[in-house]
Amino acid sequence: MRDNLVNDLSAKAIALHDAMADFKKFALTEIADLVTVAGDRYGINLGGKKGNVSLLSFDGRYKVTRQYREVVAFTEEIEAAKALIDSCLERWSEGANINIKAVVSQAFRTNTKGEIKTGKVLDLMRMDIDDEEWTRAMNALKDALQSVGTAVYVRLYERVGESDNYRPISLDIASL
């Protein structure tokens, strides 16, 4: 019974996965075609290959978005940046509570896959700190960033009643 259940559920999941992949491909093609037609109407090429787009149904009940996000990773320069940041923290926190260092150091903690959380490190780059060593650390962080690809998302939303708010139409099985 267990084997039959696992095989049956797996076959259905694979079919659903394939249907969702087909839907994404279809949606991206249709959105790109619509953007192309809109540009052709005015004799211009709109948005380039990575343009984000929001589309609304005529009555405003549904919204579809296409969003591109650059995927980045860190090169070996991240170690130099971390060493410089640690040096700044040692200097700045001399005699202070050790918890201060923990606040910034958490940006370099890894996730369950052993990868540094990109967003937390990029948050450090947004800090406006006037310190020569910190500036060198931020330059090392910039040099450590490497684009490794682009992720594209198609998201669908439905208007909540008569409000201006939209709720996602989830295609994530875990959120159902």
Side-chain angles (χ1 to χ4, degrees), residues 46-53 66-70 147 149-151:
L46 290 175
K49 198 173 179 186
K50 294 185 181 180
N52 294 339
V53 177
R66 177 188 69 188
Q67 296 172 307
Y68 286 91
R69 181 182 61 86
E70 188 175 2
S147 177
T150 303

Side-chain angles (χ1 to χ4, degrees), residues 83-93 131 133-135 137:
L84 287 166
I85 290 168
D86 286 345
S87 176
C88 287
L89 291 174
E90 288 296 325
R91 191 166 33 89
W92 298 340
S93 63
D131 183 282
E133 190 171 32
W134 181 264
T135 302

Side-chain angles (χ1 to χ4, degrees), residues 92-113:
W92 298 340
S93 63
E94 192 173 316
N97 188 313
I98 190 93
N99 295 330
I100 292 172
K101 185 174 180 182
V103 171
V104 175
S105 295
Q106 61 85 27
F108 289 95
R109 287 197 186 126
T110 57
N111 62 18
T112 56
K113 296 178 185 175

Side-chain angles (χ1 to χ4, degrees), residues 44-59:
I44 61 168
N45 185 11
L46 290 175
K49 198 173 179 186
K50 294 185 181 180
N52 294 339
V53 177
S54 286
L55 307 168
L56 290 171
S57 61
F58 185 73
D59 63 1

Side-chain angles (χ1 to χ4, degrees), residues 23-160:
F23 172 77
K24 181 178 180 181
K25 184 177 178 181
F26 172 78
L28 290 173
T29 300
E30 292 294 306
I31 292 168
D33 289 349
L34 182 67
V35 169
T36 299
V37 167
D40 288 349
R41 243 173 101 187
Y42 301 100
I44 61 168
N45 185 11
L46 290 175
K49 198 173 179 186
K50 294 185 181 180
N52 294 339
V53 177
S54 286
L55 307 168
L56 290 171
S57 61
F58 185 73
D59 63 1
R61 181 174 177 197
Y62 297 106
K63 177 169 64 169
V64 175
T65 64
R66 177 188 69 188
Q67 296 172 307
Y68 286 91
R69 181 182 61 86
E70 188 175 2
V71 179
V72 295
F74 294 107
T75 64
E76 67 282 355
E77 284 96 348
I78 192 76
E79 294 301 323
K82 186 175 182 328
L84 287 166
I85 290 168
D86 286 345
S87 176
C88 287
L89 291 174
E90 288 296 325
R91 191 166 33 89
W92 298 340
S93 63
E94 192 173 316
N97 188 313
I98 190 93
N99 295 330
I100 292 172
K101 185 174 180 182
V103 171
V104 175
S105 295
Q106 61 85 27
F108 289 95
R109 287 197 186 126
T110 57
N111 62 18
T112 56
K113 296 178 185 175
E115 301 164 337
I116 293 174
K117 297 176 183 175
T118 308
K120 297 216 179 230
V121 173
L122 295 178
D123 285 344
L124 294 177
M125 293 172 63
R126 291 182 189 98
M127 294 180 176
D128 187 22
I129 297 175
D130 186 21
D131 183 282
E132 187 270 331
E133 190 171 32
W134 181 264
T135 302
R136 284 194 350 238
M138 295 306 101
N139 287 334
L141 278 180
K142 287 176 193 166
D143 291 344
L145 282 173
Q146 180 180 39
S147 177
V148 293
T150 303
V152 61
Y153 301 94
V154 175
R155 294 188 174 99
L156 299 100
Y157 303 90
E158 182 177 26
R159 185 181 295 276
V160 178

